[in-house]
Amino acid sequence: MGEMEQLRKEADALKDQITAARKAVQDTTLEEAAAGVAVVGRVQMKTRKTLRGHLAKIYAMHWATDSKLCVSASQDGKLIVWDSITTNKVNAIPLKSSWVMTCAYAPSGNLVACGGLDNMCSIYNLKGKDGNVKVMRELAAHTGYLSCCRFISDTEIITSSGDCTCILWDIETGTQKTSFAGHQGDCMSLAVSPDFSYFISGACDFTAKLWDIRDGNCRQTFAGHESDINAIGFFPNGQAVITGSDDATCKLYDLRADQELITYQDSSIMCGVTSLAPSLSGRLILAGYDDFNVNIWDSLKAERVGALAGHDNRVSCIGVSADGMACCTGSWDSFLKIWN
Amino acid sequence: MSSNLVVMRKIVQQLRFEASINRVKVSQAAAELQQFCIQNALHDPLLTGVSSSTNPFRPQKVCSFL
């Protein structure tokens, strides 16, 4: 068909235009620009707490905004809310479906959410009147597994799915507000910008996309990885995105220059990145890998400056608390560890 | 209308949108990332290290009345 041929040509021309426009602003590299900055000294952290209680692989964890409580999800079919300082279990929530892949803590501390192979996002109210934690809503519409979820507020949550889309939900009515379609592979992970106006998604099409939460549009697409993107996060100033992939590398993409600025890789690292989190200043990137370790990278110099070794199986999730005081790792070995 | 055509039109429309954004020079973007890191370095506990007296996760050696 004539129009199809025309559209294909236009698509190719536009891709070339984007490549050229990115090159046109590439007056230097982050490596060159940071040449005068000294590499961070060796970072050594110790396990301060071990959170024991799950009976199977831990797939996800998320800090509460108070930097004290955190929630973890395990395929033992439980969501546990921990006091990370005392190591006490504040809540142990039994799930309808044990095939959980993600969990999230609402910024208010009132709600937690989880989901997985049931294709649903279940919202639990931690502050119910009678003290019991109950399912408040079951958000169903995805036609694939729930890979990640993040609250915007007590009334809105964003989910990413193996059905290649992300959805913004109205929790009160349990309905979809906006669907974000465009990825051509399972969406594996999402992160919300510090000002709550954008979110980024990483997918099995090897790209990361920046979405405007209010108008539903994809603003930017970042390519470069050579395999699935499993982990994604915002640089703390909200101006850059960090991704972690099965290709064994992490990358930093700047939103305003619209391009990759640097890759965090080492020839000795040959296994996939499962999770990542930046430190408070963004200078350190902590990344969990399939080889049971966490590597700590100097974000400006792309050098490995430390490692966290202590888990006996894959590190599946990692998070830095809001006050930057500690890093929490969750593993297939069923334990969570708090480090600083 | 074939769905392939609809999909292709959407792809082209999206590419047009992405092509039209304003881009900042890498030198400026890199400088701002560096500046943010440096400005916040002293307030980054994982970077500076946490002394045992201010570490909420370090076991307390002093008993206190509850």
Side-chain angles (χ1 to χ4, degrees), chain A residues 3 10 25 27-28 33 37 48-49 84 218 221 256 258 279-281 340, chain B residues 9 14 16 18 23-27 29 32 34 36 43-44 46 55 57-58:
Chain A
E3 190 183 349
E10 194 175 351
V25 294
D27 54 347
T28 185
V37 179
R48 301 297 176 192
K49 304 285 177 187
S84 63
C218 167
T221 300
R256 293 173 329 124
D258 185 43
S279 69
L280 203 64
S281 68
N340 67 15
Chain B
R9 278 184 189 166
Q14 179 60 33
R16 271 191 208 137
E18 291 184 22
R23 292 170 182 84
V24 150
K25 285 203 192 297
V26 171
S27 54
E32 289 179 23
Q34 274 185 81
F36 187 87
H43 308 294
D44 185 343
L46 294 181
N55 190 348
F57 298 97
R58 205 83 180 251

PDB file of all heavy atoms in Angstrom, chain A residues 3 10 25 27-28 33 37 48-49 84 218 221 256 258 279-281 340, chain B residues 9 14 16 18 23-27 29 32 34 36 43-44 46 55 57-58:
ATOM      1  N   GLU A   3       0.395   4.268   1.223  1.00  0.00           N
ATOM      2  CA  GLU A   3       0.522   5.050   2.463  1.00  0.00           C
ATOM      3  C   GLU A   3       1.471   4.371   3.442  1.00  0.00           C
ATOM      4  O   GLU A   3       2.252   5.026   4.120  1.00  0.00           O
ATOM      5  CB  GLU A   3      -0.848   5.266   3.110  1.00  0.00           C
ATOM      6  CG  GLU A   3      -0.739   6.272   4.252  1.00  0.00           C
ATOM      7  CD  GLU A   3      -2.039   6.499   5.005  1.00  0.00           C
ATOM      8  OE1 GLU A   3      -3.106   6.044   4.530  1.00  0.00           O
ATOM      9  OE2 GLU A   3      -1.967   7.125   6.074  1.00  0.00           O
ATOM     10  N   GLU A  10       8.772   7.968   6.376  1.00  0.00           N
ATOM     11  CA  GLU A  10       8.712   9.108   7.286  1.00  0.00           C
ATOM     12  C   GLU A  10       9.259   8.715   8.668  1.00  0.00           C
ATOM     13  O   GLU A  10       9.996   9.477   9.292  1.00  0.00           O
ATOM     14  CB  GLU A  10       7.276   9.623   7.420  1.00  0.00           C
ATOM     15  CG  GLU A  10       7.247  10.991   8.079  1.00  0.00           C
ATOM     16  CD  GLU A  10       5.873  11.629   8.145  1.00  0.00           C
ATOM     17  OE1 GLU A  10       4.920  11.087   7.515  1.00  0.00           O
ATOM     18  OE2 GLU A  10       5.760  12.650   8.842  1.00  0.00           O
ATOM     19  N   VAL A  25      23.707  18.394  20.087  1.00  0.00           N
ATOM     20  CA  VAL A  25      23.939  19.010  21.401  1.00  0.00           C
ATOM     21  C   VAL A  25      25.043  18.294  22.172  1.00  0.00           C
ATOM     22  O   VAL A  25      25.339  18.610  23.314  1.00  0.00           O
ATOM     23  CB  VAL A  25      22.649  19.061  22.267  1.00  0.00           C
ATOM     24  CG1 VAL A  25      21.637  19.976  21.638  1.00  0.00           C
ATOM     25  CG2 VAL A  25      22.084  17.679  22.510  1.00  0.00           C
ATOM     26  N   ASP A  27      28.159  18.358  22.799  1.00  0.00           N
ATOM     27  CA  ASP A  27      29.393  19.133  22.703  1.00  0.00           C
ATOM     28  C   ASP A  27      30.475  18.577  23.635  1.00  0.00           C
ATOM     29  O   ASP A  27      31.618  19.016  23.607  1.00  0.00           O
ATOM     30  CB  ASP A  27      29.145  20.613  23.016  1.00  0.00           C
ATOM     31  CG  ASP A  27      28.453  20.825  24.364  1.00  0.00           C
ATOM     32  OD1 ASP A  27      27.944  19.837  24.958  1.00  0.00           O
ATOM     33  OD2 ASP A  27      28.415  21.978  24.826  1.00  0.00           O
ATOM     34  N   THR A  28      30.107  17.612  24.485  1.00  0.00           N
ATOM     35  CA  THR A  28      31.080  16.963  25.343  1.00  0.00           C
ATOM     36  C   THR A  28      30.481  15.664  25.853  1.00  0.00           C
ATOM     37  O   THR A  28      29.381  15.305  25.443  1.00  0.00           O
ATOM     38  CB  THR A  28      31.498  17.876  26.521  1.00  0.00           C
ATOM     39  OG1 THR A  28      32.541  17.241  27.277  1.00  0.00           O
ATOM     40  CG2 THR A  28      30.336  18.129  27.472  1.00  0.00           C
ATOM     41  N   ALA A  33      33.402  16.079  31.060  1.00  0.00           N
ATOM     42  CA  ALA A  33      32.944  17.166  31.928  1.00  0.00           C
ATOM     43  C   ALA A  33      33.317  16.915  33.388  1.00  0.00           C
ATOM     44  O   ALA A  33      33.551  17.846  34.140  1.00  0.00           O
ATOM     45  CB  ALA A  33      31.427  17.330  31.797  1.00  0.00           C
ATOM     46  N   VAL A  37      36.772  16.044  38.565  1.00  0.00           N
ATOM     47  CA  VAL A  37      36.238  15.588  39.853  1.00  0.00           C
ATOM     48  C   VAL A  37      36.957  14.311  40.265  1.00  0.00           C
ATOM     49  O   VAL A  37      37.155  13.413  39.442  1.00  0.00           O
ATOM     50  CB  VAL A  37      34.716  15.294  39.709  1.00  0.00           C
ATOM     51  CG1 VAL A  37      34.137  14.798  41.000  1.00  0.00           C
ATOM     52  CG2 VAL A  37      33.991  16.536  39.219  1.00  0.00           C
ATOM     53  N   ARG A  48      23.504  -3.711  59.052  1.00  0.00           N
ATOM     54  CA  ARG A  48      23.179  -3.254  60.408  1.00  0.00           C
ATOM     55  C   ARG A  48      22.031  -4.055  60.988  1.00  0.00           C
ATOM     56  O   ARG A  48      21.942  -4.266  62.176  1.00  0.00           O
ATOM     57  CB  ARG A  48      22.797  -1.771  60.396  1.00  0.00           C
ATOM     58  CG  ARG A  48      23.875  -0.849  59.864  1.00  0.00           C
ATOM     59  CD  ARG A  48      25.117  -0.859  60.712  1.00  0.00           C
ATOM     60  NE  ARG A  48      26.159  -0.023  60.113  1.00  0.00           N
ATOM     61  CZ  ARG A  48      27.425  -0.022  60.498  1.00  0.00           C
ATOM     62  NH1 ARG A  48      27.829  -0.822  61.470  1.00  0.00           N
ATOM     63  NH2 ARG A  48      28.295   0.760  59.899  1.00  0.00           N
ATOM     64  N   LYS A  49      21.129  -4.482  60.101  1.00  0.00           N
ATOM     65  CA  LYS A  49      19.966  -5.274  60.515  1.00  0.00           C
ATOM     66  C   LYS A  49      19.686  -6.329  59.462  1.00  0.00           C
ATOM     67  O   LYS A  49      19.922  -6.093  58.269  1.00  0.00           O
ATOM     68  CB  LYS A  49      18.707  -4.380  60.616  1.00  0.00           C
ATOM     69  CG  LYS A  49      18.819  -3.191  61.523  1.00  0.00           C
ATOM     70  CD  LYS A  49      18.747  -3.557  62.973  1.00  0.00           C
ATOM     71  CE  LYS A  49      18.956  -2.302  63.825  1.00  0.00           C
ATOM     72  NZ  LYS A  49      19.053  -2.594  65.244  1.00  0.00           N
ATOM     73  N   SER A  84      12.259  -1.158  60.504  1.00  0.00           N
ATOM     74  CA  SER A  84      13.628  -1.543  60.153  1.00  0.00           C
ATOM     75  C   SER A  84      14.612  -1.312  61.295  1.00  0.00           C
ATOM     76  O   SER A  84      15.694  -1.885  61.299  1.00  0.00           O
ATOM     77  CB  SER A  84      14.089  -0.757  58.916  1.00  0.00           C
ATOM     78  OG  SER A  84      14.108   0.624  59.214  1.00  0.00           O
ATOM     79  N   CYS A 218       3.715  10.029  25.864  1.00  0.00           N
ATOM     80  CA  CYS A 218       5.104   9.642  26.017  1.00  0.00           C
ATOM     81  C   CYS A 218       5.908  10.810  25.470  1.00  0.00           C
ATOM     82  O   CYS A 218       5.727  11.211  24.314  1.00  0.00           O
ATOM     83  CB  CYS A 218       5.409   8.374  25.223  1.00  0.00           C
ATOM     84  SG  CYS A 218       7.178   8.054  25.067  1.00  0.00           S
ATOM     85  N   THR A 221      11.836   8.749  24.446  1.00  0.00           N
ATOM     86  CA  THR A 221      12.168   7.331  24.464  1.00  0.00           C
ATOM     87  C   THR A 221      13.682   7.202  24.436  1.00  0.00           C
ATOM     88  O   THR A 221      14.353   7.875  23.644  1.00  0.00           O
ATOM     89  CB  THR A 221      11.561   6.607  23.246  1.00  0.00           C
ATOM     90  OG1 THR A 221      10.146   6.762  23.284  1.00  0.00           O
ATOM     91  CG2 THR A 221      11.888   5.118  23.280  1.00  0.00           C
ATOM     92  N   ARG A 256      17.016  16.408  29.754  1.00  0.00           N
ATOM     93  CA  ARG A 256      17.005  17.648  28.982  1.00  0.00           C
ATOM     94  C   ARG A 256      17.909  17.590  27.755  1.00  0.00           C
ATOM     95  O   ARG A 256      17.604  18.223  26.757  1.00  0.00           O
ATOM     96  CB  ARG A 256      17.326  18.828  29.903  1.00  0.00           C
ATOM     97  CG  ARG A 256      16.158  19.001  30.894  1.00  0.00           C
ATOM     98  CD  ARG A 256      16.354  20.004  31.995  1.00  0.00           C
ATOM     99  NE  ARG A 256      17.708  20.122  32.405  1.00  0.00           N
ATOM    100  CZ  ARG A 256      18.368  21.289  32.395  1.00  0.00           C
ATOM    101  NH1 ARG A 256      17.764  22.408  32.030  1.00  0.00           N
ATOM    102  NH2 ARG A 256      19.615  21.320  32.770  1.00  0.00           N
ATOM    103  N   ASP A 258      18.273  14.777  26.317  1.00  0.00           N
ATOM    104  CA  ASP A 258      17.583  13.694  25.600  1.00  0.00           C
ATOM    105  C   ASP A 258      18.536  12.620  25.101  1.00  0.00           C
ATOM    106  O   ASP A 258      18.462  12.165  23.955  1.00  0.00           O
ATOM    107  CB  ASP A 258      16.791  14.289  24.394  1.00  0.00           C
ATOM    108  CG  ASP A 258      15.950  13.234  23.668  1.00  0.00           C
ATOM    109  OD1 ASP A 258      15.310  12.415  24.363  1.00  0.00           O
ATOM    110  OD2 ASP A 258      15.960  13.231  22.424  1.00  0.00           O
ATOM    111  N   SER A 279      21.842   7.117  45.754  1.00  0.00           N
ATOM    112  CA  SER A 279      21.929   7.671  47.105  1.00  0.00           C
ATOM    113  C   SER A 279      21.314   9.066  47.071  1.00  0.00           C
ATOM    114  O   SER A 279      20.980   9.571  46.003  1.00  0.00           O
ATOM    115  CB  SER A 279      23.391   7.724  47.569  1.00  0.00           C
ATOM    116  OG  SER A 279      24.105   8.702  46.829  1.00  0.00           O
ATOM    117  N   LEU A 280      21.207   9.702  48.207  1.00  0.00           N
ATOM    118  CA  LEU A 280      20.494  10.984  48.317  1.00  0.00           C
ATOM    119  C   LEU A 280      21.014  12.072  47.389  1.00  0.00           C
ATOM    120  O   LEU A 280      20.250  12.846  46.813  1.00  0.00           O
ATOM    121  CB  LEU A 280      20.603  11.476  49.770  1.00  0.00           C
ATOM    122  CG  LEU A 280      19.534  12.447  50.231  1.00  0.00           C
ATOM    123  CD1 LEU A 280      18.175  11.781  50.211  1.00  0.00           C
ATOM    124  CD2 LEU A 280      19.849  12.927  51.645  1.00  0.00           C
ATOM    125  N   SER A 281      22.344  12.151  47.228  1.00  0.00           N
ATOM    126  CA  SER A 281      22.926  13.206  46.382  1.00  0.00           C
ATOM    127  C   SER A 281      23.020  12.755  44.926  1.00  0.00           C
ATOM    128  O   SER A 281      23.342  13.542  44.040  1.00  0.00           O
ATOM    129  CB  SER A 281      24.327  13.565  46.864  1.00  0.00           C
ATOM    130  OG  SER A 281      25.215  12.473  46.637  1.00  0.00           O
ATOM    131  N   ASN A 340      24.435   0.464  56.068  1.00  0.00           N
ATOM    132  CA  ASN A 340      24.960   1.839  55.919  1.00  0.00           C
ATOM    133  C   ASN A 340      26.402   1.937  56.448  1.00  0.00           C
ATOM    134  O   ASN A 340      26.965   0.883  56.795  1.00  0.00           O
ATOM    135  CB  ASN A 340      24.056   2.904  56.561  1.00  0.00           C
ATOM    136  CG  ASN A 340      23.955   2.839  58.073  1.00  0.00           C
ATOM    137  OD1 ASN A 340      24.755   2.184  58.745  1.00  0.00           O
ATOM    138  ND2 ASN A 340      22.955   3.504  58.603  1.00  0.00           N
TER     139      ASN A 340
ATOM    140  N   ARG B   9       0.613   4.845  11.745  1.00  0.00           N
ATOM    141  CA  ARG B   9       0.321   6.287  11.860  1.00  0.00           C
ATOM    142  C   ARG B   9       0.637   6.781  13.266  1.00  0.00           C
ATOM    143  O   ARG B   9       1.168   7.874  13.443  1.00  0.00           O
ATOM    144  CB  ARG B   9      -1.158   6.550  11.552  1.00  0.00           C
ATOM    145  CG  ARG B   9      -1.448   6.628  10.077  1.00  0.00           C
ATOM    146  CD  ARG B   9      -2.892   6.979   9.824  1.00  0.00           C
ATOM    147  NE  ARG B   9      -3.217   6.840   8.415  1.00  0.00           N
ATOM    148  CZ  ARG B   9      -4.442   6.822   7.952  1.00  0.00           C
ATOM    149  NH1 ARG B   9      -5.467   6.899   8.780  1.00  0.00           N
ATOM    150  NH2 ARG B   9      -4.657   6.703   6.656  1.00  0.00           N
ATOM    151  N   GLN B  14       4.026   9.724  17.065  1.00  0.00           N
ATOM    152  CA  GLN B  14       4.845   9.740  18.277  1.00  0.00           C
ATOM    153  C   GLN B  14       6.266  10.202  17.954  1.00  0.00           C
ATOM    154  O   GLN B  14       6.850  10.995  18.683  1.00  0.00           O
ATOM    155  CB  GLN B  14       4.845   8.345  18.929  1.00  0.00           C
ATOM    156  CG  GLN B  14       5.674   8.221  20.194  1.00  0.00           C
ATOM    157  CD  GLN B  14       5.232   9.137  21.323  1.00  0.00           C
ATOM    158  OE1 GLN B  14       4.044   9.436  21.490  1.00  0.00           O
ATOM    159  NE2 GLN B  14       6.188   9.621  22.107  1.00  0.00           N
ATOM    160  N   ARG B  16       7.193  12.110  15.521  1.00  0.00           N
ATOM    161  CA  ARG B  16       7.154  13.557  15.223  1.00  0.00           C
ATOM    162  C   ARG B  16       7.225  14.344  16.530  1.00  0.00           C
ATOM    163  O   ARG B  16       7.941  15.327  16.653  1.00  0.00           O
ATOM    164  CB  ARG B  16       5.845  13.916  14.510  1.00  0.00           C
ATOM    165  CG  ARG B  16       5.910  13.814  13.027  1.00  0.00           C
ATOM    166  CD  ARG B  16       4.665  14.455  12.383  1.00  0.00           C
ATOM    167  NE  ARG B  16       4.405  13.806  11.115  1.00  0.00           N
ATOM    168  CZ  ARG B  16       3.206  13.439  10.688  1.00  0.00           C
ATOM    169  NH1 ARG B  16       2.143  13.635  11.428  1.00  0.00           N
ATOM    170  NH2 ARG B  16       3.074  12.856   9.501  1.00  0.00           N
ATOM    171  N   GLU B  18       8.385  13.319  19.509  1.00  0.00           N
ATOM    172  CA  GLU B  18       9.687  13.172  20.165  1.00  0.00           C
ATOM    173  C   GLU B  18      10.780  13.952  19.448  1.00  0.00           C
ATOM    174  O   GLU B  18      11.723  14.429  20.070  1.00  0.00           O
ATOM    175  CB  GLU B  18      10.062  11.692  20.275  1.00  0.00           C
ATOM    176  CG  GLU B  18       9.172  10.939  21.274  1.00  0.00           C
ATOM    177  CD  GLU B  18       9.576   9.489  21.487  1.00  0.00           C
ATOM    178  OE1 GLU B  18      10.740   9.143  21.228  1.00  0.00           O
ATOM    179  OE2 GLU B  18       8.703   8.697  21.912  1.00  0.00           O
ATOM    180  N   ARG B  23      16.343  20.419  23.053  1.00  0.00           N
ATOM    181  CA  ARG B  23      17.408  19.702  23.736  1.00  0.00           C
ATOM    182  C   ARG B  23      18.445  20.673  24.264  1.00  0.00           C
ATOM    183  O   ARG B  23      18.814  21.632  23.589  1.00  0.00           O
ATOM    184  CB  ARG B  23      18.068  18.691  22.792  1.00  0.00           C
ATOM    185  CG  ARG B  23      17.125  17.550  22.427  1.00  0.00           C
ATOM    186  CD  ARG B  23      17.660  16.679  21.311  1.00  0.00           C
ATOM    187  NE  ARG B  23      16.678  15.642  21.008  1.00  0.00           N
ATOM    188  CZ  ARG B  23      15.643  15.797  20.204  1.00  0.00           C
ATOM    189  NH1 ARG B  23      15.446  16.966  19.595  1.00  0.00           N
ATOM    190  NH2 ARG B  23      14.784  14.806  20.004  1.00  0.00           N
ATOM    191  N   VAL B  24      18.907  20.386  25.465  1.00  0.00           N
ATOM    192  CA  VAL B  24      19.915  21.223  26.112  1.00  0.00           C
ATOM    193  C   VAL B  24      21.292  20.619  25.815  1.00  0.00           C
ATOM    194  O   VAL B  24      21.405  19.408  25.623  1.00  0.00           O
ATOM    195  CB  VAL B  24      19.610  21.222  27.639  1.00  0.00           C
ATOM    196  CG1 VAL B  24      20.838  21.391  28.485  1.00  0.00           C
ATOM    197  CG2 VAL B  24      18.561  22.254  27.954  1.00  0.00           C
ATOM    198  N   LYS B  25      22.318  21.423  25.739  1.00  0.00           N
ATOM    199  CA  LYS B  25      23.657  20.898  25.463  1.00  0.00           C
ATOM    200  C   LYS B  25      24.124  19.968  26.567  1.00  0.00           C
ATOM    201  O   LYS B  25      23.872  20.222  27.760  1.00  0.00           O
ATOM    202  CB  LYS B  25      24.658  22.057  25.310  1.00  0.00           C
ATOM    203  CG  LYS B  25      24.512  22.787  23.984  1.00  0.00           C
ATOM    204  CD  LYS B  25      25.816  23.498  23.622  1.00  0.00           C
ATOM    205  CE  LYS B  25      25.639  24.459  22.466  1.00  0.00           C
ATOM    206  NZ  LYS B  25      25.236  23.794  21.220  1.00  0.00           N
ATOM    207  N   VAL B  26      24.829  18.906  26.192  1.00  0.00           N
ATOM    208  CA  VAL B  26      25.332  17.933  27.156  1.00  0.00           C
ATOM    209  C   VAL B  26      26.224  18.620  28.181  1.00  0.00           C
ATOM    210  O   VAL B  26      26.193  18.279  29.372  1.00  0.00           O
ATOM    211  CB  VAL B  26      26.102  16.787  26.456  1.00  0.00           C
ATOM    212  CG1 VAL B  26      26.816  15.912  27.477  1.00  0.00           C
ATOM    213  CG2 VAL B  26      25.141  15.936  25.635  1.00  0.00           C
ATOM    214  N   SER B  27      26.997  19.629  27.753  1.00  0.00           N
ATOM    215  CA  SER B  27      27.899  20.315  28.693  1.00  0.00           C
ATOM    216  C   SER B  27      27.089  20.937  29.830  1.00  0.00           C
ATOM    217  O   SER B  27      27.486  20.879  30.994  1.00  0.00           O
ATOM    218  CB  SER B  27      28.730  21.381  27.989  1.00  0.00           C
ATOM    219  OG  SER B  27      27.877  22.269  27.295  1.00  0.00           O
ATOM    220  N   ALA B  29      23.928  20.025  30.772  1.00  0.00           N
ATOM    221  CA  ALA B  29      23.275  18.956  31.530  1.00  0.00           C
ATOM    222  C   ALA B  29      24.267  18.298  32.485  1.00  0.00           C
ATOM    223  O   ALA B  29      23.962  18.052  33.654  1.00  0.00           O
ATOM    224  CB  ALA B  29      22.694  17.926  30.567  1.00  0.00           C
ATOM    225  N   GLU B  32      25.126  20.478  35.459  1.00  0.00           N
ATOM    226  CA  GLU B  32      24.065  20.535  36.474  1.00  0.00           C
ATOM    227  C   GLU B  32      23.998  19.264  37.306  1.00  0.00           C
ATOM    228  O   GLU B  32      23.729  19.311  38.507  1.00  0.00           O
ATOM    229  CB  GLU B  32      22.728  20.859  35.808  1.00  0.00           C
ATOM    230  CG  GLU B  32      22.721  22.311  35.344  1.00  0.00           C
ATOM    231  CD  GLU B  32      21.450  22.738  34.647  1.00  0.00           C
ATOM    232  OE1 GLU B  32      20.413  22.096  34.882  1.00  0.00           O
ATOM    233  OE2 GLU B  32      21.505  23.720  33.887  1.00  0.00           O
ATOM    234  N   GLN B  34      26.591  17.341  37.990  1.00  0.00           N
ATOM    235  CA  GLN B  34      27.747  17.426  38.876  1.00  0.00           C
ATOM    236  C   GLN B  34      27.481  18.357  40.035  1.00  0.00           C
ATOM    237  O   GLN B  34      27.798  18.054  41.190  1.00  0.00           O
ATOM    238  CB  GLN B  34      28.932  18.012  38.109  1.00  0.00           C
ATOM    239  CG  GLN B  34      29.737  17.019  37.359  1.00  0.00           C
ATOM    240  CD  GLN B  34      30.929  17.710  36.749  1.00  0.00           C
ATOM    241  OE1 GLN B  34      31.902  17.935  37.429  1.00  0.00           O
ATOM    242  NE2 GLN B  34      30.821  18.062  35.490  1.00  0.00           N
ATOM    243  N   PHE B  36      24.668  19.265  41.345  1.00  0.00           N
ATOM    244  CA  PHE B  36      23.709  18.688  42.295  1.00  0.00           C
ATOM    245  C   PHE B  36      24.411  17.708  43.235  1.00  0.00           C
ATOM    246  O   PHE B  36      24.206  17.719  44.444  1.00  0.00           O
ATOM    247  CB  PHE B  36      22.565  17.991  41.546  1.00  0.00           C
ATOM    248  CG  PHE B  36      21.474  17.516  42.458  1.00  0.00           C
ATOM    249  CD1 PHE B  36      20.437  18.361  42.815  1.00  0.00           C
ATOM    250  CD2 PHE B  36      21.494  16.236  42.991  1.00  0.00           C
ATOM    251  CE1 PHE B  36      19.440  17.940  43.680  1.00  0.00           C
ATOM    252  CE2 PHE B  36      20.497  15.805  43.858  1.00  0.00           C
ATOM    253  CZ  PHE B  36      19.475  16.665  44.202  1.00  0.00           C
ATOM    254  N   HIS B  43      25.297  16.101  52.679  1.00  0.00           N
ATOM    255  CA  HIS B  43      24.048  15.659  53.298  1.00  0.00           C
ATOM    256  C   HIS B  43      23.676  14.263  52.862  1.00  0.00           C
ATOM    257  O   HIS B  43      22.539  13.837  53.057  1.00  0.00           O
ATOM    258  CB  HIS B  43      22.906  16.619  52.922  1.00  0.00           C
ATOM    259  CG  HIS B  43      23.245  18.046  53.198  1.00  0.00           C
ATOM    260  ND1 HIS B  43      23.434  18.525  54.468  1.00  0.00           N
ATOM    261  CD2 HIS B  43      23.471  19.082  52.350  1.00  0.00           C
ATOM    262  CE1 HIS B  43      23.738  19.812  54.384  1.00  0.00           C
ATOM    263  NE2 HIS B  43      23.763  20.178  53.129  1.00  0.00           N
ATOM    264  N   ASP B  44      24.621  13.536  52.245  1.00  0.00           N
ATOM    265  CA  ASP B  44      24.359  12.185  51.749  1.00  0.00           C
ATOM    266  C   ASP B  44      25.033  11.194  52.694  1.00  0.00           C
ATOM    267  O   ASP B  44      26.225  10.922  52.575  1.00  0.00           O
ATOM    268  CB  ASP B  44      24.913  12.051  50.319  1.00  0.00           C
ATOM    269  CG  ASP B  44      24.592  10.721  49.676  1.00  0.00           C
ATOM    270  OD1 ASP B  44      24.226   9.763  50.392  1.00  0.00           O
ATOM    271  OD2 ASP B  44      24.725  10.625  48.448  1.00  0.00           O
ATOM    272  N   LEU B  46      25.096   7.966  53.024  1.00  0.00           N
ATOM    273  CA  LEU B  46      25.763   6.776  52.484  1.00  0.00           C
ATOM    274  C   LEU B  46      27.105   7.147  51.872  1.00  0.00           C
ATOM    275  O   LEU B  46      28.010   6.316  51.778  1.00  0.00           O
ATOM    276  CB  LEU B  46      24.868   6.078  51.454  1.00  0.00           C
ATOM    277  CG  LEU B  46      23.572   5.463  51.996  1.00  0.00           C
ATOM    278  CD1 LEU B  46      22.794   4.792  50.873  1.00  0.00           C
ATOM    279  CD2 LEU B  46      23.845   4.464  53.108  1.00  0.00           C
ATOM    280  N   ASN B  55      23.741   7.064  64.043  1.00  0.00           N
ATOM    281  CA  ASN B  55      23.207   6.007  63.189  1.00  0.00           C
ATOM    282  C   ASN B  55      22.021   5.312  63.854  1.00  0.00           C
ATOM    283  O   ASN B  55      22.198   4.576  64.814  1.00  0.00           O
ATOM    284  CB  ASN B  55      24.314   4.985  62.891  1.00  0.00           C
ATOM    285  CG  ASN B  55      23.908   3.999  61.815  1.00  0.00           C
ATOM    286  OD1 ASN B  55      22.737   3.927  61.437  1.00  0.00           O
ATOM    287  ND2 ASN B  55      24.878   3.250  61.321  1.00  0.00           N
ATOM    288  N   PHE B  57      20.494   2.837  63.051  1.00  0.00           N
ATOM    289  CA  PHE B  57      20.523   1.385  62.865  1.00  0.00           C
ATOM    290  C   PHE B  57      21.647   0.712  63.629  1.00  0.00           C
ATOM    291  O   PHE B  57      21.790  -0.501  63.603  1.00  0.00           O
ATOM    292  CB  PHE B  57      20.643   1.047  61.373  1.00  0.00           C
ATOM    293  CG  PHE B  57      19.476   1.541  60.572  1.00  0.00           C
ATOM    294  CD1 PHE B  57      19.554   2.742  59.882  1.00  0.00           C
ATOM    295  CD2 PHE B  57      18.287   0.831  60.536  1.00  0.00           C
ATOM    296  CE1 PHE B  57      18.470   3.228  59.162  1.00  0.00           C
ATOM    297  CE2 PHE B  57      17.201   1.299  59.816  1.00  0.00           C
ATOM    298  CZ  PHE B  57      17.296   2.501  59.127  1.00  0.00           C
ATOM    299  N   ARG B  58      22.438   1.515  64.310  1.00  0.00           N
ATOM    300  CA  ARG B  58      23.557   0.934  65.056  1.00  0.00           C
ATOM    301  C   ARG B  58      23.033   0.511  66.409  1.00  0.00           C
ATOM    302  O   ARG B  58      22.309   1.273  67.042  1.00  0.00           O
ATOM    303  CB  ARG B  58      24.633   2.009  65.218  1.00  0.00           C
ATOM    304  CG  ARG B  58      26.005   1.495  65.410  1.00  0.00           C
ATOM    305  CD  ARG B  58      26.687   1.138  64.085  1.00  0.00           C
ATOM    306  NE  ARG B  58      28.034   0.633  64.367  1.00  0.00           N
ATOM    307  CZ  ARG B  58      29.156   1.284  64.101  1.00  0.00           C
ATOM    308  NH1 ARG B  58      29.087   2.462  63.492  1.00  0.00           N
ATOM    309  NH2 ARG B  58      30.307   0.792  64.435  1.00  0.00           N
TER     310      ARG B  58
END
